[in-house]
Amino acid sequence: MPHMDAALHSSPPVESPPASPQHQRQVVQALLRHLPAHAVLWTDTTTTAYECDGLTAYRQRPMAVALPETYAQIQQVLQTCHALGVPVVARGAGTGLSGGAMPHARGVTLSLAKFNRILAVDPASRTAVVQAGVRNLAISEAAAPYGLYYAPDPSSQIACTIGGNVAENSGGVHCLKYGLTVHNVLKVKGYTAEGEAVEFGSDALDVPGLGLLAVLIGSEGMLAVTTEVTVKLVPKPQLARCIMASFDDVRKAGDTVAAVIAAGIIPAGLEMMDKPMTAAVEDFVHAGYDLSAEAILLCESDGTPEEVEEEIAHMRAVLQQAGATAIAVSQDEAERLRFWSGRKNAFPASGRISPDYMCMDSTIPRKRLADILLAIQAMEKKYGLRCANVFHAGDGNLHPLILFDANDPDELHRCELFGADILETSVAMGGTVTGEHGVGVEKLNSMCVQFTPQEREQMIAVKHAFDPEGLLNPGKVIPTLARCAEYGKVVIRGSRQGWAHPELPRF
């Protein structure tokens, strides 16, 4: 994990002055009318644990933390904060990596941690109804007796909550075949900023009127507070096998990803790791990775034994033709899990070799995978920092982990520049600044590069329609026009003008 004491000196990208003691007392007293004393935290010692999420480089203590235990209490907290004009930041497990759950200094952090019950599992309809604080992996554990599981599997699935998954539209290593959160959720219940009960989606295949479920999923807690989620479950495949392929050149590995998809194969998982990352994870979990390879690919097939045998043979042929220097195919479930163990532990493995890391999350066309890896290698020299890379290669979702020491202000600054360079190079290559980790506060400046002022005004209009007072998770996701003007990199009338770093190549 990133160093927990490293960035106490760092100012958050969105900084707000703390509340006055008088205002804090007023808000705390108002909350205590609806919550028991143990469910309201407001001292520095009790709120410090909530000062950041997985993006530990930026920290800010909330004015207060509310830990409701019933839906009525959630509603009362929101109604109280709305009446007082107090911002609210909903929080799940705090595993997010973009600062989406970073508190507001004059706001209330609303924890959904106590809403951790699985309300129903219906094997006939292949659905489960769960509260927002239920862990991702717990859904699959509850569905396992019925031969079912919940497909989205982010690396943090042992700890992350379904409410957080809804907020970020999380994916995972199997999202290429099974989709993101938005493809695996039928219905979401919650409350607006005013405390009004709302429901998005339906138990049926369609909804009357506008279908707003996809607007809510991925909105990072800016439109409503999620309390219950109805998820789709899928049958466990009869068999799954994984290919581990080594390459002596990152361009060969990147081009192979495009070749696999071009061959009409949709693997259950298609992941890529570069040499620094494989070295880090091999030292941590001993997955049997080829340490001499410049990059490795993990390609999984699942289905019936006959389907898997045919697809594995097809993928093996494509990999051999593309120049793989070594190919290993899992022979049993234990070996398959061992192959995946390194990929699943990429983040903690990186935490063992560096005091801190900043995990980026951009997306590019698959055909540019090698280009972005080579560009990142050049950036390592430019900014004097190491970077280990792991990609959801099948859908072009990048996770470069920039290694730095947040106790060194200069290293933190260079890390921020490095991250912005990766994001903006991704845009220049035809990609986007985010894939599955959200924007939060981390990517606010890069949003100025991705979207025109007119597009950002439309986003603000959607936010205003749900939350006219702007109290839910303010200062996140959508940069202001003034911020973009200050950043000096603004998209104008569809052409990107004045935004590129002076040394950043245009593609």
Side-chain angles (χ1 to χ4, degrees):
M1 292 296 294
H3 185 59
M4 294 307 292
D5 298 321
L8 291 174
H9 62 276
S10 301
S11 298
V14 180
E15 194 169 11
S16 53
S20 68
Q22 296 82 359
H23 182 56
Q24 184 187 40
R25 281 196 297 271
Q26 178 191 18
V27 173
V28 169
Q29 289 170 1
L31 292 174
L32 287 171
R33 296 189 190 106
H34 306 289
L35 298 174
H38 68 264
V40 182
L41 312 177
W42 71 89
T43 65
D44 286 350
T45 54
T46 56
T47 59
T48 295
Y50 297 86
E51 66 184 356
C52 67
D53 57 12
L55 181 66
T56 59
Y58 307 120
R59 302 179 181 213
Q60 188 165 254
R61 289 190 184 96
M63 176 174 61
V65 178
L67 296 98
E69 300 168 351
T70 67
Y71 294 143
Q73 289 177 351
I74 294 177
Q75 189 174 35
Q76 289 160 345
V77 168
L78 289 167
Q79 290 171 345
T80 298
C81 290
H82 185 263
L84 296 173
V86 173
V88 175
V89 178
R91 179 185 174 97
T95 60
L97 292 167
S98 65
M102 192 182 77
H104 194 286
R106 290 178 286 109
V108 171
T109 291
L110 176 60
S111 171
L112 282 301
K114 296 186 179 181
F115 294 84
N116 56 6
R117 289 191 299 130
I118 295 174
L119 303 176
V121 176
D122 186 347
S125 65
R126 292 180 181 172
T127 61
V129 182
V130 303
Q131 292 183 317
V134 170
R135 294 179 301 109
N136 174 291
L137 187 59
I139 302 175
S140 292
E141 290 170 346
Y146 307 101
L148 304 170
Y149 74 106
Y150 179 61
D153 57 344
S155 295
S156 58
Q157 68 178 149
I158 193 173
C160 66
T161 64
I162 190 65
N165 291 175
V166 167
E168 304 299 334
N169 192 22
S170 303
V173 299
H174 293 96
C175 64
L176 177 61
K177 181 173 181 178
Y178 292 101
L180 303 165
T181 300
V182 70
H183 306 112
N184 290 275
V185 167
L186 283 173
K187 185 169 69 175
V188 173
K189 290 183 178 181
Y191 294 98
T192 66
E194 294 93 337
E196 178 187 357
V198 286
E199 186 174 301
F200 303 88
S202 166
D203 293 323
L205 295 177
D206 203 356
V207 294
L210 294 175
L212 297 175
L213 181 62
V215 177
L216 180 76
I217 296 175
S219 62
E220 303 193 39
M222 295 178 61
L223 307 183
V225 174
T226 296
T227 57
E228 282 185 20
V229 184
T230 301
V231 301
K232 301 176 186 177
L233 303 174
V234 295
K236 287 184 178 179
Q238 293 182 36
L239 178 67
R241 298 180 72 190
C242 182
I243 298 178
M244 180 172 61
S246 303
F247 292 85
D248 58 8
D249 178 79
V250 294
R251 183 163 294 282
K252 289 181 184 177
D255 291 346
T256 299
V257 173
V260 169
I261 303 301
I265 305 169
I266 305 297
L270 181 52
E271 300 287 305
M272 180 176 176
M273 288 183 285
D274 69 358
K275 192 171 188 176
M277 182 59 80
T278 56
V281 298
E282 182 62 20
D283 185 57
F284 184 37
V285 298
H286 310 296
Y289 290 161
D290 181 356
L291 295 180
S292 67
E294 292 298 318
I296 67 168
L297 292 181
L298 296 174
C299 317
E300 182 158 289
S301 174
D302 65 10
T304 66
E306 294 78 13
E307 290 170 335
V308 171
E309 182 179 2
E310 180 181 354
E311 191 167 75
I312 287 289
H314 194 181
M315 284 197 289
R316 183 196 284 269
V318 173
L319 294 166
Q320 289 173 333
Q321 187 174 1
T325 56
I327 295 175
V329 182
S330 63
Q331 298 303 306
D332 53 35
E333 182 65 3
E335 189 172 30
R336 183 186 76 87
L337 294 175
R338 180 166 58 81
F339 284 0
W340 279 113
S341 66
R343 170 60 188 90
K344 285 283 189 178
N345 286 282
F347 291 1
S350 299
R352 295 175 74 242
I353 62 174
S354 176
D356 300 271
Y357 63 76
M358 186 174 288
C359 178
M360 307 312 297
D361 169 53
S362 59
T363 304
I364 60 168
R366 282 185 290 262
K367 63 182 180 181
R368 306 303 300 269
L369 281 170
D371 294 333
I372 193 69
L373 262 176
L374 294 172
I376 290 172
Q377 289 176 4
M379 293 176 204
E380 290 185 83
K381 298 177 182 177
K382 178 179 178 180
Y383 299 106
L385 295 171
R386 296 175 295 157
C387 185
N389 294 279
V390 58
F391 297 168
H392 295 311
D395 57 0
N397 187 193
L398 318 177
H399 291 329
L401 278 76
I402 305 170
L403 310 179
F404 73 107
D405 183 352
N407 282 312
D408 183 337
D410 180 62
E411 280 204 16
L412 175 57
H413 179 60
R414 283 185 280 128
C415 177
E416 292 171 327
L417 294 176
F418 195 161
D421 210 340
I422 292 173
L423 297 178
E424 293 167 22
T425 300
S426 298
V427 173
M429 289 183 176
T432 67
V433 299
T434 189
E436 61 176 347
H437 293 172
V439 175
V441 295
E442 175 200 29
K443 303 186 182 82
L444 275 173
N445 287 339
S446 296
M447 288 285 284
C448 304
V449 172
Q450 180 82 57
F451 298 102
T452 66
Q454 294 80 10
E455 289 167 334
R456 283 182 277 110
E457 287 285 3
Q458 298 237 347
M459 297 178 195
I460 292 169
V462 173
K463 164 72 170 169
H464 183 78
F466 283 83
D467 178 19
E469 305 300 322
L471 295 177
L472 287 181
N473 215 9
K476 312 286 178 62
V477 184
I478 310 169
T480 63
L481 296 177
R483 184 186 187 93
C484 290
E486 182 179 345
Y487 190 51
K489 302 177 183 181
V490 182
V491 182
I492 303 174
R493 295 189 183 88
S495 64
R496 293 173 174 81
Q497 299 182 10
W499 63 268
H501 288 300
E503 297 134 8
L504 184 60
R506 295 180 183 272
F507 296 90

